Amino acid sequence: MSDILVIPRGTACICGLDWGINSPGCLGWAACLPDGRMHLIREWKFSGIVDEDIAAGYHQRTKALGLRVRYVACDPSIFFK
C-alpha cells in the first residue's frame, strides 16, 4: 500500500484565503475527492506583501500545480481595509 494520494486529473479544487491582517496570511489549495473527502494539496503562508503580489503568487502557484480552481473562499476581513 502506498502513502501517496493520487488525485485524479480534472478533480475539482478550491482555495481558502485567510488574509492575515494581524498575523501571517495563508492560502490553501484543496482537492474535492470523489468520495466526498477533501485533501489539502498545498498551503502558502505570507506576510508583509501587497495585495497585487498575493494575487500574482496565487496565480503563479495555481498554474505550477496544474489546477483549475472552482472558487476561492476568503476571510471576510479582506473586504474591510
Side-chain angles (χ1 to χ4, degrees):
M1 185 162 168
S2 174
D3 291 330
I4 298 173
L5 174 65
V6 176
I7 299 172
R9 191 174 211 49
T11 298
C13 294
I14 62 170
C15 276
L17 171 62
D18 180 4
W19 195 243
I21 296 289
N22 297 315
S23 58
C26 183
L27 234 172
W29 290 259
C32 304
L33 301 177
D35 63 3
R37 295 180 300 144
M38 292 183 73
H39 177 75
L40 183 63
I41 299 169
R42 179 80 39 94
E43 67 176 10
W44 171 41
K45 293 185 179 180
F46 52 85
S47 175
I49 59 176
V50 296
D51 304 359
E52 292 81 6
D53 291 341
I54 295 170
Y58 161 79
H59 288 292
Q60 175 188 11
R61 286 163 174 82
T62 300
K63 183 176 180 178
L65 290 168
L67 300 177
R68 196 182 89 237
V69 175
R70 292 177 114 179
Y71 65 89
V72 178
C74 298
D75 171 3
S77 69
I78 191 174
F79 303 107
F80 304 104
K81 287 184 143 187

